[in-house]
Amino acid sequence: MNYRDTMNVNKKGHLQIGGVDAVDLVNKYGTPLYVMDESYIRSVCRAFRETVEKTYGEGGVAYASKAFSCKAIYEIAMQENMYIDVVSGGEIYTANSVGFDMKKAYFHGNNKLISEIKLALNVGVGTFVVDSFDEIDLLDSVCAENGIVQKVLIRVNPGVEAHTHSFIQTAKVDSKFGFGVKNGYADEAIDKILGKNNLRFAGLHCHIGSQIFDKQAFALAVDVVTDYVVRLKERGVVVDELNFGGGFGVYYSGDDPKYDVKEYCDYVALLTSSLKNAVEKKGIKKPFFMIEPGRSIVGEAGVTLYSVGAIKEIKGIRKYLAIDGGMTDNIRPALYDAKYDAVLANRANEKATEVVSVAGKCCESGDIILKDIALPAAKRGDIVAVFTTGAYNYSMSSNYNRNFVPPVVFVKDGKSAYAVKPQTYEDLVRNDVSLEYKD
Ligand SMILES: *Cc1c(COP(=O)(O)O)cnc(C)c1O
């Protein structure tokens, strides 16, 4: 765990988040429960924005809302003067429903549906990040029908691929995302856009990966993309905006670096300084600068609380603690072997005395949330707190086995409030109907 001023262990030895005792949260809301630390989210938003302002100037920070999407988070993004990145009609609808200024939305996706394009135009989404030749034709024709000239970026594939602790520069052209810079597809896409009456080409977008710790990967992306801007300039194409996506790594477990908010800003500062240098050195127009972090804004803000139920020991092999949630609220361990850190929230000061695995309650052998985690000897009713579950947990949740998706509670200054209410059995059957064939 990466403790901070808004997440620590209180005098009772209980985990405390946003000034609220986790045991009190469990007594009030039950388990499983997603808890989000509002002050932390706001502090990251502010720090990122201020870093862009101080180190670069003209630019913005878009919250990549696929990481965690619900009405409350768009309200917070709005209050924090953030832009947002949206990837579906559902995200657009949710943001728009709380009055988010959709001019500040970037609409991504490799297969935007016609219905989603229409919704986006209808609510005035500011920027489309175009990702296929097909989309260029489709978007232009829908814009023409509606008398709109739409600002667009194209998503480019710069051939920089970053993973957690390393990156590679590839000539890899096999990706479902982006137009290749090296194979000429990006040139072709831009020419096509410039030939359309209802599209206005504004610049380039790239996103080189996720959970990246090697900051140099971002500097390399800036270098490759600005080289391309130089080539575009030679062809008479003006680039007003560059968007470098998201991907900043956060602490989950083990050797992951434990950054505080200031250190997260180093990612941003490296991007802006690389871009400023490139602008000077390469003699290009200083572009509007955008980034789109998701995980680094909400990831560490989230903690999931579970109750320990059945305990099963296979002598000499493994002890399983079963919890009342699992892959329905956190698919990441099953999906990509993601590792987490955890404590017993009601005994957070106690020494770990055994290594156990924490299993979910779903009917899947792979439904293991924590493999080999050191904890104090747990009993039924103890509370397991899993850290860094704010990103890609709730947003990837499901009702598999007809389990409930847990409610989401925000905490701040010693208070708590629902952001997403609990589901009921009635919710689970809401759209179910008895078969009634009609000819
Ligand atoms: C997922 C994604 C992001 C956010 O990535 P994080 O790793 O959560 O910061 C930003 N931009 C695009 C285009 C994405 O697909």
Side-chain angles (χ1 to χ4, degrees):
M1 62 299 307
N2 188 12
Y3 288 131
R4 54 181 182 263
D5 60 343
T6 56
M7 189 175 76
N8 42 43
V9 179
N10 67 17
K11 285 197 193 99
K12 290 183 188 162
H14 297 171
L15 178 69
Q16 184 157 303
I17 315 152
V20 188
D21 188 314
V23 176
D24 292 342
L25 286 171
V26 169
N27 291 336
K28 186 163 180 188
Y29 299 101
T31 54
L33 182 69
Y34 292 116
V35 182
M36 297 292 280
D37 177 349
E38 183 179 334
S39 302
Y40 183 78
I41 294 170
R42 288 183 186 273
S43 67
V44 182
C45 290
R46 271 172 218 175
F48 281 176
R49 267 203 316 102
E50 283 166 13
T51 305
V52 172
E53 275 163 29
K54 276 192 209 131
T55 63
Y56 190 81
E58 283 286 283
V61 180
Y63 164 60
S65 67
K66 72 178 194 279
F68 174 82
S69 174
C70 66
K71 288 183 176 183
I73 199 74
Y74 293 113
E75 288 172 325
I76 290 170
M78 183 161 53
Q79 289 154 10
E80 294 299 332
N81 283 314
M82 301 282 285
Y83 291 74
I84 51 169
D85 147 352
V86 290
V87 295
S88 71
E91 288 183 358
I92 292 169
Y93 179 87
T94 310
N96 189 55
S97 73
V98 295
F100 191 91
D101 176 5
M102 298 306 284
K103 277 205 272 321
K104 295 179 79 173
Y106 285 74
F107 185 20
H108 285 276
N110 66 315
N111 184 26
K112 300 177 187 73
L113 308 179
I114 297 179
S115 58
E116 292 174 322
I117 291 173
K118 286 184 174 163
L119 173 65
L121 294 176
N122 200 21
V123 301
V125 162
T127 310
F128 275 63
V129 184
V130 169
D131 198 359
S132 70
F133 292 114
D134 185 73
E135 184 185 342
I136 295 170
D137 290 326
L138 181 62
L139 180 58
D140 182 62
S141 71
V142 183
C143 286
E145 279 165 28
N146 290 278
I148 293 169
V149 176
Q150 179 64 45
K151 174 192 163 196
V152 300
L153 304 180
I154 64 160
R155 178 162 178 168
V156 297
N157 181 352
V160 179
E161 208 190 321
H163 305 282
T164 300
H165 291 289
S166 66
F167 66 89
I168 43 170
Q169 187 160 18
T170 65
K172 207 180 106 181
V173 285
D174 182 10
S175 168
K176 81 166 187 175
F177 292 116
F179 295 100
V181 169
K182 295 193 178 99
N183 61 9
Y185 286 179
D187 284 338
E188 229 179 285
I190 292 168
D191 289 345
K192 195 171 167 111
I193 291 167
L194 293 173
K196 299 289 189 190
N197 288 330
N198 293 82
L199 302 181
R200 179 171 68 79
F201 175 73
L204 312 173
H205 170 278
C206 70
H207 175 70
I208 57 172
S210 206
Q211 187 58 5
I212 301 167
F213 289 122
D214 194 335
K215 299 189 181 76
Q216 290 310 314
F218 293 104
L220 181 60
V222 169
D223 196 40
V224 173
V225 168
T226 50
D227 276 350
Y228 183 50
V229 173
V230 172
R231 297 207 296 283
L232 286 173
K233 187 183 164 195
E234 286 159 4
R235 295 179 50 217
V237 177
V238 180
V239 172
D240 291 323
E241 177 167 343
L242 292 179
N243 179 325
F244 291 97
F248 312 152
V250 303
Y251 176 83
Y252 280 102
S253 71
D255 296 332
D256 294 345
K258 291 184 178 179
Y259 292 142
D260 62 21
V261 174
K262 272 204 202 83
E263 288 167 300
Y264 278 121
C265 292
D266 294 347
Y267 286 102
V268 183
L270 183 76
L271 274 163
T272 54
S273 66
S274 306
L275 184 55
K276 271 200 313 203
N277 289 342
V279 163
E280 261 174 46
K281 220 172 67 195
K282 300 178 190 184
I284 54 177
K285 179 181 168 187
K286 189 179 177 194
F288 187 81
F289 168 85
M290 283 294 301
I291 47 168
E292 295 167 341
R295 189 190 310 272
S296 50
I297 292 175
V298 289
E300 288 201 58
V303 175
T304 310
L305 302 175
Y306 304 97
S307 296
V308 175
I311 297 174
K312 182 180 285 182
E313 183 160 15
I314 308 170
K315 282 245 155 19
I317 297 182
R318 189 180 294 280
K319 186 168 174 181
Y320 287 100
L321 305 184
I323 49 167
D324 49 1
M327 63 190 290
T328 41
D329 59 77
N330 186 356
I331 191 71
R332 296 184 68 257
L335 191 61
Y336 27 70
D337 204 22
K339 305 279 188 288
Y340 285 89
D341 208 348
V343 296
L344 295 183
N346 54 323
R347 300 161 61 190
N349 272 340
E350 288 183 35
K351 278 221 166 61
T353 53
E354 58 181 22
V355 172
V356 297
S357 290
V358 175
K361 69 185 287 290
C362 297
C363 301
E364 281 285 334
S365 305
D367 180 22
I368 306 289
I369 294 298
L370 297 146
K371 209 171 183 185
D372 297 331
I373 175 106
L375 289 175
K379 321 175 290 297
R380 176 175 276 272
D382 278 334
I383 302 162
V384 176
V386 180
F387 295 102
T388 319
T389 57
Y392 306 106
N393 276 229
Y394 172 72
S395 62
M396 286 187 171
S397 65
S398 77
N399 285 120
Y400 179 54
N401 288 171
R402 293 235 147 171
N403 286 312
F404 295 131
V405 170
V408 184
V409 160
F410 274 58
V411 289
K412 189 188 176 194
D413 300 335
K415 294 194 179 127
S416 62
Y418 277 126
V420 181
K421 292 191 290 187
Q423 293 184 327
T424 62
Y425 285 128
E426 187 53 39
D427 291 330
L428 297 182
V429 297
R430 189 169 308 283
N431 293 333
D432 292 6
V433 288
S434 298
L435 288 174
E436 213 177 300
Y437 294 109
K438 292 185 186 128
D439 35 64

